[in-house]
Amino acid sequence: MLCRTANDLYWTSRHIERAENTARLIDVTHRIALLPERLDPWRHDAGTWRRALDALGLVQEYSHLNGPIVAQKVLRYLCLDATNPSSIYSCIRAARESARAQRGAITLEMYEDLNTSWLEMRKLSAERFEDEGVPRFVEWVKTRSASFRGMTVGTMGRDAAYHYLQLGTFLERADWGVRLMDVKYSGPSTAEAGDARSAVGYYQWSALLHALSAMETYRRHYRETIAPERVAELMILNHDSPRSLATCTEVVHKTLIALAGPGNHEVVRQAGALMAETRYGCIDDVLAQGMEVWLQRVMTRLFALAQQINRHFLLTPEIVGQVQVQSQG
């Protein structure tokens, strides 16, 4: 497959998954921000929404463009701002443009579904967004993302094009699962609110499970009150959870084997090492290292894996040579 085609398909699925996961980040942040201050005196809108921006690496850029962190401004910036390449608006636009460039590599149903999402996104004004509220918008984004995945699974042949779409989806999902966990663990009130026996802790961890569509899965597996270590285990090591790091790394590893073919490839080795850590790890070992430290380390490894995928599959030899020259210079 041509590198340009592979690149466009890979980023089509990554942008759609990114739009959904940004919506899930907004969901959990919005839920936590609604917690009454009398229950959580450390909670304030600026701090809560700053953590959301920090998860995206957008604190400085937002502050430069919009000044002080205000909930409503952050919501517009993350949802509707066409100048923010990480906004949901920009992600859906980018996914549609990449898909349009590769009309021959995907099915008609897939493109029409993406085009519908883009046309509906364009019609959404700031006034309508505020009138309808955050929960409705979040559900719309999740539904449109699920629709595209359904069209992909239901109409796409299981060839290289399908594998690149899968690779983009699950690598992005793995990265975002770690980021969402990091938002919760890095909050200033973690020490006080982390105890699930408290009203604050229960509410915050419930918000995370709801945002990840994992509450029912948690109840089936643990049949107990919500505990931080059990939530972490579900979202990191549980292979039955479709959004867990374990599930994502397993799919990424299998997909890379299918794309790379026989032979020893560094990109496959890196993916396999990460998959093995989640397949055979236990939550006690993770907690012993420190959750924040462990999450940061995994994010670094996911970034390195994405770089290897980009170099091995998505760049032409000429571009790889230019990158090497620039890095050496």
Side-chain angles (χ1 to χ4, degrees), residues 46-306:
T48 301
W49 287 103
R50 182 184 179 87
R51 293 201 295 277
L53 289 169
D54 190 51
L56 293 163
L58 293 174
V59 174
Q60 291 185 349
E61 184 175 342
Y62 167 87
S63 299
H64 175 71
L65 295 173
N66 298 284
I69 295 176
V70 179
Q72 202 60 36
K73 288 184 178 181
V74 175
L75 282 169
R76 288 194 184 187
Y77 181 69
L78 295 182
C79 296
L80 306 178
D81 194 334
T83 65
N84 174 15
S86 298
S87 71
I88 292 173
Y89 178 96
S90 295
C91 286
I92 294 177
R93 179 181 60 190
R96 186 255 193 178
E97 289 303 308
S98 294
R100 186 173 67 170
Q102 303 300 333
R103 291 282 298 274
I106 62 175
T107 65
L108 175 63
E109 291 85 352
M110 291 168 64
Y111 178 73
E112 288 181 342
D113 185 80
L114 268 181
N115 197 47
T116 298
S117 297
W118 169 237
L119 293 175
E120 291 181 9
M121 186 77 235
R122 284 179 58 187
K123 294 178 182 178
L124 183 62
S125 64
E127 293 74 18
R128 180 183 164 193
F129 174 75
E130 293 178 3
D131 290 342
E132 295 182 354
V134 173
R136 185 169 179 177
F137 177 73
V138 165
E139 288 304 314
W140 177 82
V141 176
K142 289 159 60 177
T143 299
R144 296 312 307 168
S145 176
S147 178
F148 179 73
R149 284 198 303 273
M151 288 294 179
T152 302
V153 172
T155 67
M156 191 82 173
R158 280 9 181 207
D159 54 8
Y162 178 82
H163 290 317
Y164 279 111
L165 288 163
Q166 286 290 94
L167 182 61
T169 295
F170 283 92
L171 188 63
E172 185 72 23
R173 186 177 296 180
D175 180 71
W176 269 92
V178 176
R179 287 176 185 271
L180 284 169
M181 288 292 295
D182 189 55
V183 168
K184 180 64 190 75
Y185 269 94
S186 64
S189 61
T190 299
E192 297 294 332
D195 186 354
R197 292 173 296 180
S198 70
V200 174
Y202 184 88
Y203 186 91
Q204 291 188 343
W205 288 106
S206 295
L208 180 63
L209 288 171
H210 280 296
L212 293 169
S213 303
M215 179 60 81
E216 291 76 14
T217 304
Y218 182 93
R219 293 298 189 195
R220 285 197 301 271
H221 275 275
Y222 299 107
R223 301 181 184 278
E224 61 183 49
T225 188
I226 296 173
E229 63 274 13
R230 298 281 77 84
V231 176
E233 183 178 51
L234 179 72
M235 298 316 305
I236 295 173
L237 304 175
N238 193 305
H239 286 269
D240 293 333
S241 173
R243 307 195 71 85
S244 73
L245 183 63
T247 298
C248 294
T249 54
E250 181 176 3
V251 175
V252 167
H253 183 238
K254 289 181 178 179
T255 303
L256 286 172
I257 290 175
L259 289 171
N264 297 320
H265 298 280
E266 175 62 17
V267 65
V268 176
R269 187 200 67 78
Q270 286 188 21
L274 189 55
M275 180 205 66
E277 185 166 344
T278 58
R279 171 179 287 184
Y280 301 111
C282 67
I283 194 60
D284 290 339
D285 291 339
V286 174
L287 294 174
Q289 297 177 49
M291 181 59 73
E292 288 186 55
V293 173
W294 192 89
L295 291 172
Q296 289 294 327
R297 184 170 62 84
V298 170
M299 277 195 277
T300 301
R301 293 175 67 182
L302 286 170
F303 178 78
L305 178 59

